[in-house]
């Protein structure tokens, strides 16, 4: 048997370091066994999926060197590898489930479902579909279809007994069937849900081992049941622990930068990041010896993967990166990395476009543009408050800006400008006064290159981190204010 693993990201934002971690584990497991590693794009959520996000996923994985043997861009024998292109396959499989009595059409309205859930909550029960449409007769179903009623397809789930899942790391996990919902498999728009598409694809793509985040453990019983309904063998499954913040909470961008691109823009080297992410699964978890991806794969041992989530410790990452730069690179490799990082033609050209009209000799360039080649700026409270707004106003504006910029689908100077204009309105401050503080936060100086274009060039991740650093320096935001201010922002947006 050839081992086949996959990473199956949803293209709904910038790729997360957690995705890189999952990809790395799947990659190493496949390669260690002489197998194949597949990239599948799970874009069934049409409202949230974007092709820009898909492109960034490709770029991030390639930057890390986690190349795939089959995938949407290079094809393969089991394609297409983008779920939005596989609708017919899911429809066919869904029909079979209905025909075999393993799934049913559910015509329940949102009102009925809301009332049902409210009743279950009031009775202290688990909220779960109550099976109302399981018992519709053929005639009733036909009548509903003739009447053009909209419906979803749900899977049938046993009413009693227990389901036992075997996880490669955890052994057997039991779930009472009573706690498992009659999962929607097909939405009313005919698109499959994650569960349906994921199971069908893993089978048809010949996946032998699934390594995915532990947040999917509760889905495993549904998936196992679907495999049984189809008469297929279920791949072996390993639920990976989630990366955590140093305070042990789930890694979140509020507390730590989480985008792969952030680490790229900060000048971390792909191999250092891979070593950092892979450390917990190798036999030298202290990171004393650093490996390239091949060496890391040789060291990889699935039984070393800890069941408690590895802490995403930035201090350690810094240490590994520094060690890698100092000890594992020749000077020409180092020079080449710097060049690829930010002295490449594309980036330099964009910097030059911004700076040319503002300098009188070439040596002015360094001082004027150094913030475009830096990570965080380490500004003091005094520097951040050097302007007309009060501390409270600056904190409020920085907070709103973080929320507004995070939501932008498209990161461009014009979208950044309109978000910041809206921030000034909501914060009830003059745009000009507010932007002075933003100039300082982003560039470290009161007078600099055009703000919006500089932010565009720096990228969302670095800007977010500079805003976050400034907020922390100014004393941070209490949870109560965070909730209130998030509401302020949502309200302002909904009223336009
Ligand atoms: N699309 C899912 C995700 O992005 C994949 C989960 C899985 O690997 O089954 O997390």
């Amino acid at each position: 048997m050839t081992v086949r693993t996959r990473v199956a990201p949803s293209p709904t934002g910038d790729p997360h370091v957690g995705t890189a971690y999952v990809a790395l584990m799947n990659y190493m497991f496949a390669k260690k066994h002489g197998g194949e590693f597949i990239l599948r794009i799970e874009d069934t959520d049409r409202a949230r999926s974007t092709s820009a996000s898909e492109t960034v996923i490709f770029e991030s994985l390639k930057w890390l060197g986690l190349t795939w043997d089959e995938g949407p861009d290079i094809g393969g024998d089991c394609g297409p590898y983008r779920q939005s292109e596989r609708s017919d396959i899911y429809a066919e499989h869904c029909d079979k489930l209905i025909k075999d009595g393993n799934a049913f059409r559910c015509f329940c309205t949102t009102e009925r479902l809301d009332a049902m859930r409210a009743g279950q909550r009031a009775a202290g029960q688990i909220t779960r579909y109550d099976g109302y449409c399981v018992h519709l007769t053929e005639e009733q179903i036909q009548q509903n279809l003739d009447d053009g009623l909209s419906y979803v397809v749900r899977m049938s789930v046993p009413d009693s007994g227990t389901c036992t899942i075997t996880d490669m790391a955890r052994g057997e996990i039991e779930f009472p069937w009573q706690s498992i919902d009659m999962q929607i498999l097909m939405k009313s728009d005919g698109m499959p849900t994650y569960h349906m598409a994921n199971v069908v694809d893993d089978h048809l793509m010949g996946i032998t081992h699934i390594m995915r985040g532990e947040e999917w453990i509760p889905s495993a019983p549904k998936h196992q049941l679907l495999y049984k309904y189809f008469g297929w063998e279920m791949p072996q499954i390993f639920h990976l622990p989630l990366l955590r913040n140093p305070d042990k909470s789930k890694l979140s961008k509020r507390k730590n930068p989480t985008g792969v691109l952030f680490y790229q823009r900060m000048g971390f080297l792909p191999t250092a990041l891979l070593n950092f992410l892979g450390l917990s699964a190798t036999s030298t978890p202290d990171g004393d010896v650093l490996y390239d991806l091949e060496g890391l794969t040789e060291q990889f041992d699935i039984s070393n993967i800890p069941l408690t989530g590895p802490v995403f410790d930035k201090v350690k990452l810094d240490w590994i990166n520094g060690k890698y730069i100092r000890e594992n690179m020749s000077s020409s490799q180092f020079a080449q990395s710097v060049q690829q990082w930010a002295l490449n033609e594309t980036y330099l050209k964009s910097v030059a476009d911004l700076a040319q009209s503002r300098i009188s000799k070439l040596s002015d360039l360094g001082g004027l543009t150094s913030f475009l080649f830096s990570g965080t700026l380490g500004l003091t409270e005094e520097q951040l408050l050097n302007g007309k707004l009060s501390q409270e106003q600056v904190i409020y504006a920085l907070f709103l800006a973080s929320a507004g910029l995070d939501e932008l689908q498209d990161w461009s100077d014009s979208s950044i400008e309109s978000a910041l204009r809206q921030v000034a309105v909501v914060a009830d401050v003059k745009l000009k006064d507010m932007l002075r503080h933003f100039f300082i936060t982003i560039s470290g100086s009161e007078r600099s290159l055009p703000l919006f274009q500089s932010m565009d060039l720096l990228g969302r991740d670095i800007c977010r981190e500079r805003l976050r650093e400034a907020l922390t320096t100014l004393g941070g935001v209490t949870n109560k204010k965070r909730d209130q201010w998030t509401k302020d922002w949502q309200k302002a947006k909904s009223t336009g």
Side-chain angles (χ1 to χ4, degrees), residues 17-28:
V17 282
T19 303
Y21 174 69
V22 171
L24 174 63
M25 295 300 140
N26 278 284
Y27 178 95
M28 292 197 292

Side-chain angles (χ1 to χ4, degrees), residues 47-207:
R48 292 178 61 228
S49 299
T50 65
S51 67
S53 165
E54 183 183 293
T55 308
V56 185
I57 291 172
F58 292 172
E59 282 171 5
S60 303
L61 293 177
K62 279 187 192 157
W63 175 67
L64 286 167
L66 299 172
T67 46
W68 44 98
D69 300 297
E70 296 164 32
D73 54 337
I74 51 171
D77 290 344
C78 306
Y81 293 89
R82 201 177 274 115
Q83 289 187 330
S84 57
E85 294 166 15
R86 299 172 62 83
S87 303
D88 294 351
I89 301 176
Y90 308 128
E92 191 187 304
H93 284 84
C94 194
D95 286 348
K96 174 162 169 42
L97 288 175
I98 298 178
K99 202 156 354 102
D100 294 348
N102 292 323
F104 60 95
R105 293 183 182 84
C106 168
F107 297 90
C108 290
T109 60
T110 317
E111 292 74 38
R112 176 177 186 277
L113 294 173
D114 286 347
M116 172 199 83
R117 288 190 200 106
Q120 289 171 336
R121 259 183 240 114
Q125 296 164 350
I126 297 176
T127 52
R128 160 180 203 263
Y129 183 64
D130 60 2
Y132 184 81
C133 289
V134 176
H135 309 293
L136 294 182
T137 61
E138 282 304 320
E139 292 72 37
Q140 284 169 314
I141 294 171
Q142 196 51 52
Q143 186 61 53
N144 286 346
L145 293 176
D146 292 345
D147 291 346
L149 295 192
S150 123
Y151 66 89
V152 298
V153 177
R154 291 179 186 272
M155 67 187 286
S156 308
V157 172
D159 281 335
S160 58
T162 46
C163 164
T164 307
I165 294 300
T166 307
D167 180 285
M168 285 166 79
R170 294 166 178 77
E172 296 193 340
I173 312 175
E174 289 199 347
F175 297 82
W177 279 120
Q178 279 275 310
S179 69
I180 308 295
D181 204 1
M182 297 180 203
Q183 181 64 51
I184 297 180
L185 299 176
M186 282 287 191
K187 296 179 264 189
S188 53
D189 62 2
M191 282 304 271
T193 56
Y194 156 74
H195 307 277
M196 176 74 188
N198 189 272
V199 165
V200 168
D201 287 350
D202 279 342
H203 175 74
L204 295 182
M205 294 181 183
I207 301 301

Side-chain angles (χ1 to χ4, degrees), residues 10 54 60 94 102 106 137 194 196 243 247 252 257 274 281 293 299 334 355 367 389 421 486:
S10 299
E54 183 183 293
S60 303
C94 194
N102 292 323
C106 168
T137 61
Y194 156 74
M196 176 74 188
L243 301 177
D247 68 4
S252 67
L274 285 179
L293 182 54
Q299 289 297 313
F334 173 65
L389 303 195
R421 280 183 183 280
T486 305

Side-chain angles (χ1 to χ4, degrees), residues 161-420:
T162 46
C163 164
T164 307
I165 294 300
T166 307
D167 180 285
M168 285 166 79
R170 294 166 178 77
E172 296 193 340
I173 312 175
E174 289 199 347
F175 297 82
W177 279 120
Q178 279 275 310
S179 69
I180 308 295
D181 204 1
M182 297 180 203
Q183 181 64 51
I184 297 180
L185 299 176
M186 282 287 191
K187 296 179 264 189
S188 53
D189 62 2
M191 282 304 271
T193 56
Y194 156 74
H195 307 277
M196 176 74 188
N198 189 272
V199 165
V200 168
D201 287 350
D202 279 342
H203 175 74
L204 295 182
M205 294 181 183
I207 301 301
T208 56
H209 296 79
I210 297 172
M211 299 177 84
R212 63 180 176 197
E214 64 190 354
E215 74 270 31
W216 298 107
I217 291 177
S219 300
K222 298 170 193 172
H223 295 189
Q224 179 166 284
L225 188 56
L226 284 173
Y227 280 98
K228 187 170 153 219
Y229 286 160
F230 285 121
W232 298 334
E233 191 185 334
M234 185 165 173
Q236 291 198 56
I237 194 152
F238 189 123
H239 289 99
L240 293 161
L242 296 176
L243 301 177
R244 288 173 302 154
N245 292 308
D247 68 4
K248 309 280 190 269
S249 55
K250 182 180 158 201
L251 190 67
S252 67
K253 65 181 170 201
R254 218 179 84 193
K255 297 188 182 156
N256 252 314
T258 54
V260 176
L261 291 184
F262 170 79
Y263 293 93
Q264 181 185 27
R265 295 296 297 258
M266 283 295 282
F268 287 95
L269 298 163
T271 318
L273 187 54
L274 285 179
N275 271 273
F276 173 68
L277 292 171
L279 276 186
S280 62
T282 66
S283 42
T284 54
D286 48 10
D288 267 351
V289 188
L290 300 180
Y291 301 96
D292 59 10
L293 182 54
E294 207 180 315
L296 207 56
T297 303
E298 261 164 46
Q299 289 297 313
F300 172 78
D301 182 347
I302 197 168
S303 62
N304 280 335
I305 299 179
L307 279 187
T308 45
V311 171
F312 197 86
D313 177 356
K314 281 202 313 199
V315 178
K316 178 135 198 180
L317 175 59
D318 251 31
W319 179 79
I320 291 182
N321 206 58
K323 184 175 159 71
Y324 190 82
I325 288 178
R326 289 186 305 271
E327 296 173 15
N328 289 54
M329 297 179 105
S330 66
S331 61
S332 57
Q333 281 172 327
F334 173 65
Q336 206 184 5
S337 289
V338 176
Q339 195 173 23
Q340 280 166 358
W341 168 63
L343 299 186
N344 60 66
E345 214 178 315
T346 320
Y347 195 68
L348 277 184
K349 168 83 172 65
S350 310
V351 173
D353 284 346
L354 280 186
Q356 192 177 357
S357 60
R358 292 174 175 84
I359 62 172
S360 54
K361 49 193 177 310
L362 303 187
S363 58
D364 293 338
L365 196 68
L368 185 67
T369 63
S370 66
F371 75 100
L372 294 174
F373 297 90
S374 307
T376 47
L377 301 178
L379 303 175
T380 61
E381 195 172 308
E382 204 185 345
Q383 286 172 299
L384 293 165
L385 295 178
N386 177 4
K388 292 205 174 141
L389 303 195
S390 69
Q391 176 155 354
E392 184 68 0
Q393 284 172 318
V394 175
I395 295 181
Y396 189 34
L398 287 172
F399 179 86
L400 296 178
S402 304
L405 295 174
D406 257 0
E407 285 164 4
L408 293 183
Q409 282 252 353
D410 140 64
W411 185 257
S412 66
D413 54 347
S414 56
S415 66
I416 295 166
E417 175 171 357
S418 62
L420 292 187

